[in-house]
Each structure stands twice: as C-alpha cells, then as structure tokens.
Amino acid sequence: MQSMALANGTKGQTDWNAINWRKINRTVRNLRQRIFRATTERNYKKVRSLQKLMLRSYANILMSVRRVTQQNAGRNTPGIDKVVVKTPTTRGKLVDELSAFTLWRVKPARRVYIPKANGKQRPLGIPVVKDRCLQAMVKNALEPEWEANFEGTSYGFRPGRSCHDAIEKIFGLARPNKRKKWVVDADIKGAFDNISHEFLLKAIGEVPGRELIKQWLKAGYMEQGVFHETDSGTPQGGVVSPLLANIALHGMEEAIGVKYDSRGQSIGKRAIVRYADDFAAFCESKEDAEEVIEILKSWLQQRGLELSAQKTKIVHLSEGFDFLGFNIRHYRAEKTSKTGWKLLIKPSKESVSKIRNKLRKEWLSLRGSNVLAIIKRLNPIIRGWANYFRSGVSCEIFHSLDRWMFHRAVRYVKHTHPKKPRYWRQSRYWGRLNLERSDRWVFGDKTTGMLLLKFSWFRIERHILVKGRSSPDDPNLKSYWQGREKAKSKSLTPSKQKIAQNQGGICPKCGESLFNGEELHVHHIEPKQQGGSNSYKNLRFLHFYCHQQVHAAK
C-alpha cells in the first residue's frame, strides 16, 4: 500500500488530547453512510472511490487507533514486536506513523491459546498494533458495502446486532403454531482456521486495500520463536477477521432456498438463523433437514469448510437444542395452549453449570477476604449473567441460583467466624439492605450499605428484534438506531439508567453511543470541589477516555 495524500488531515505531530472526537466520528460515519447508499444504488464506481477516500482519511486513522488502543478487549495484548500503546503521546505518534508510511509490509501474528468450553484450546493470532490499526481502517472502508448486502438472519459480529437478536429470531421461527419443527443444529469445523483464501479474495473483489487483506491472510504466525505459514484461514484476534468470515459465509440463505414475501416474511419451507459460524436451520420434515445438510456440505466445501460431525445434529423442537447459551424447546401444554405445546427459551444446563462453577471458584479464592471484596468481585459477574439471560424464561433459574448463592454465603460466614453463634452471624451479614425490597435476607456490609446482588432482582424483559436487514450505516434509519441505543441503558443499575436515559444513550463529548464497549465514568458538570452536587442534573456519563480528555483540557 503506497502513500497518498490524506483527506481531512493535519500536518505535524498529533495532540491526542486536543482531538475533536465529535467531528472525527461524524466524518467517518458520514463516509460509511455514503458507501452504504452508493452500494444500495449499485453505483460501484462511486463505492470504490469512497472506499479509497476512507482509506486515506485522517479521521479514519484517528478512529482506528482509538478503537485498537482504547476500546478493543485486546488493547493490552502485544504482537510479535511486544509493543502496546497506552498513553496519549504514543497514540499521537502512532497516528503520525500511519499517516506517513510509504510501503507497508505485514508482520506475522503471534500465536496464543485460550481455553474453550469443551476443555480444548482455541488458537488466536495477535497482529502487531500497527497492523490492527490498518485492519480497522480497511474494515471501515469495506464493512458498509457488505452491510448493504448481508442477509437479515446473520447476527454475529455485525454492528447493531447481537446474540439476543438471533435468539429472538429463533423465537419467531420456533413458535408452536409454525410448521418448521425440525432443526439442523450445526457448527462449522474450525471456520476461522480453514476458510479458503482464494474464495475469500474472489468474493471481496477488486476493492481498495485488497493487497493488504491478501498480506494479512498470508502473513503466517510465530509460535515459540518458529515461523509458520498460513495457507488457509483468517486469524482469530485480527480486527478484520470477523468481517472476512461473514463475507465467506454470506449466501447461506440462498443456498438452501430460503424465500421471503414482499413484506420480508419467510414463506418457504426452510429458514435459517446464523451467528458467525454457528447456525440453526428450520425445516418441515426430518428428510428435508437431511437434504439441507447435504446442500450445506457442498456449499461449504467451495469455501474450504466442513460441518463439525460432533456438533451437527438434527433435532425435533420437542427434544430441544442449545444455541448461544440458551435452550430452545417445546413443552407439553395441553390445558393452556391451542396447539398443545408451548415454546420456552431458557438458560441451558451447561450455562447454569458454568456460572455456578465460576462463582464457586470466586467464593473459594475470596476466603479470608472481607465482605466488601466479595461484593466488588461477584456483583459484576451476577449483573452480566443476569442481564444476558433476562430476555429468556429465566425466573425459576434465577431463584435457584439465589438459593445456591445463599448457601455459599453461609459457608463463607461460618469459615470466617467459626466460633460465633448463628444469630450473631445472621445479624452481622444479613438484613434488609436493599430498601426497595422487603427482603431481610440480603447479604452485605451493614456499615457501608454495600450489598450482594440477587439474580431474581433482574426483571425478565423480552428483547426487541432488529428489523429485517436494517443497518446503522443506513442514513434513512437514524432515529430507529437512536431508539435502540437508548434501550441499552437497561443493562445498568437503576440510578445509572436514569443518567444514561437523560442524555439519550450518547456520550456528550464524542457524540457516540455510550455502549460501544468502552468503560463508562460519571462526570460532574460542576466539580464537587467547586460545590457541585450529586444530583442527576449535575451528572453525565462519559467514556473513560473522553472523561480523561475533559480533565486534561482543564
């Protein structure tokens, strides 16, 4: 990739703390929307021109550096050069380096392993920071074009879409009054590791940044000081890899013959829901489900992929199947349902077992710690798990987990105070600490009022399915996506929900969604040192780094 004049660029060293993020985000967002619109109009000459503009955009460089070094979960994980970027000064230097490079040579990824649920290890390829930033730049240029083409039933690793959308789509397909009761519960074997490079490059076409993508695919990886070539696959750990995987798997609906009417409603004999490389195909008979498997085997073979023999099976909805941590199943309900069946989507047994094991390990590791340490460690785990599963039929499981947590708390208190009588331990650690509930068995610290959350306090709430093929890059759906961003505040505590809702779910500093993955901080408009209060009118949520920038400017 050769140097070219920067669009909306600046000369000299970049001052990271002086960047106007609201302007930068607006510039990149407008470019993405123009690419999306040009794609829907099938004006590919304009699409390529706008993608070139995106790749040389100074705003795109800034946003990509912020995403890689501040927002992404792997921001503190180095590549083979052992370099991480943590300070405003080094981020500014990185922006200047990316703005001034002449010919780029991609470096190999660093191979690391993380444990999988089945006890095996998942290989990750961690590119160097500069390559990750370049990948984020290319992704911003490439993604809007594909967002205009992707299928509406694809939910994994796409902006504005989530696991809950996939589960809600399944809810609509699996209701007892529907005819598609046979399910191909499938998983693609090593999808990221085996995607054909030739097929992927052909699918992408002659786009700006193609040569960089080719280099990333062929870059290889280093493991224990030894270089290994990569003839297939896209490394998990790369910023652009999820998009490339979605491109490779695009067209699954067409392959199995899914049909829609003019309103976007499914009218064919088959339907499918895909989340990255996991998918569930719905059919009207077992024979048709077997035919779908054969079609997909051939279709995946062209992409260098194959179905996992261990994880792919055909099930009837009366047997049920697990998908994204939930169990989807029909239960007998002859007295309460016209069809004689009811659909329940609950946390799977495996999910419940995992959270119990995780909490058990935390309780054991916290032996000897005070109650405040326990609350600070366990509350985020409880809140995260409950928020994820609150969209299902989880009330009974939440109550069972609360009973289990009560017994764990009793064991902790007995271990901490083995010689104290029961009434003393009870009065010391349990009480009506949550004043909003008439529950005197709340575990916590009475001196500070800090308390351990209960799963059952999280109200069951259905997730609202994203509409059809809607994308945040569509300029005609601005108000629709603003409404969905506001709804994300439900994952916060009640007091924090009010702050987020008051500002419409938007960070007032950068103008982006509060829920983009960055840590949130509470900001006092009038500082407390100057007499500012803790009233809602004086509080605002800011992204962690936006908050730092506000105080750095003072």
Side-chain angles (χ1 to χ4, degrees), residues 395-445:
C395 189
E396 185 180 333
I397 290 173
F398 281 2
H399 281 290
S400 71
L401 285 171
D402 285 338
R403 290 192 294 271
W404 182 85
M405 285 289 283
F406 172 77
H407 292 299
R408 296 304 313 186
V410 169
R411 292 180 66 174
Y412 161 80
V413 173
K414 283 184 176 179
H415 182 271
T416 306
H417 306 284
K419 296 182 179 180
K420 295 290 183 180
R422 187 177 68 176
Y423 72 87
W424 184 94
R425 294 193 293 255
Q426 179 181 322
S427 62
R428 171 76 179 268
Y429 288 99
W430 282 275
R432 190 170 173 246
L433 297 177
N434 187 343
L435 300 179
E436 295 179 357
R437 298 177 178 273
S438 56
D439 182 355
R440 63 189 183 90
W441 289 102
V442 178
F443 180 79
D445 180 22

Side-chain angles (χ1 to χ4, degrees), residues 454-467:
K454 290 191 175 184
F455 290 94
S456 56
W457 292 349
F458 291 82
R459 189 160 59 96
I460 304 302
E461 238 177 272
R462 285 280 301 277
H463 177 79
I464 298 174
L465 176 64
V466 64
K467 290 182 181 177

Side-chain angles (χ1 to χ4, degrees), residues 266-329:
S266 176
I267 57 172
K269 294 183 179 180
R270 298 166 180 170
I272 196 166
V273 176
R274 182 173 67 83
Y275 189 91
D277 56 342
D278 291 336
F279 64 89
F282 291 78
C283 306
E284 293 184 2
S285 67
K286 186 176 182 180
E287 292 73 24
D288 193 39
E290 291 170 349
E291 187 178 340
V292 165
I293 288 180
E294 293 306 313
I295 292 171
L296 288 175
K297 281 182 178 178
S298 175
W299 185 82
L300 288 169
Q301 192 174 16
Q302 300 170 25
R303 291 151 176 79
L305 302 171
E306 61 179 326
L307 291 174
S308 170
Q310 293 179 335
K311 298 181 181 180
T312 301
K313 57 191 176 187
I314 297 173
V315 296
H316 193 272
L317 281 171
S318 59
E319 302 172 55
F321 67 101
D322 292 347
F323 194 76
L324 300 177
F326 288 88
N327 178 261
I328 299 97
R329 185 180 170 186

